[in-house]
Amino acid sequence: MDPMPETSGAGPRPRRCGDAGRRAAIARARGFARGLAPVLLEIRAEGFTTPSGIARAMTRRGVRKPRGSTVWAASCVQKLLRTLGEGAER
C-alpha cells in the first residue's frame, strides 16, 4: 500500500540532495519573489515602506506566502526584499 496517496495529480516534488537541491530552492524563491514585485510596488505606492507596514498590507490583501499561509511577518518581508536584491536596509 502506498503510504502517501496521490491526491493532486502532480505528486510530491522529487527530493534533491546537496548543491542541486539548494540551487533549485533558490530558483523557486527568486521566481516567487519576482512574482510578488508588482504587489510590493503597489503597497509602497500606498505609503507602506517599512517591513512591518508591508507585512500588514500583504496580510490584509490576503497575499499568499510560498507555503500557502496569508499571514505575513516583518521578517518574511525582509527575506523577500533580500531575495529581490533590495537588501534589508528598510
Side-chain angles (χ1 to χ4, degrees):
M1 185 163 140
D2 188 9
M4 279 185 51
E6 203 169 310
T7 57
S8 68
R13 251 185 290 197
R15 289 185 180 214
R16 298 184 185 204
C17 298
D19 290 338
R22 278 188 288 282
R23 282 192 301 273
I26 290 168
R28 280 193 306 274
R30 286 181 180 156
F32 182 81
R34 281 191 297 267
L36 288 181
V39 176
L40 285 171
L41 287 174
E42 288 177 15
I43 289 171
R44 285 181 170 163
E46 293 172 5
F48 299 101
T49 57
T50 64
S52 60
I54 293 169
R56 283 191 305 273
M58 291 176 80
T59 297
R60 273 196 303 275
R61 288 177 177 223
V63 176
R64 293 204 175 272
K65 292 170 52 178
R67 292 190 177 190
S69 170
T70 57
V71 179
W72 286 81
S75 60
C76 298
V77 172
Q78 288 173 330
K79 188 172 184 178
L80 180 68
L81 294 175
R82 275 195 307 271
T83 301
L84 285 170
E86 298 183 29
E89 69 276 355
R90 298 192 186 282

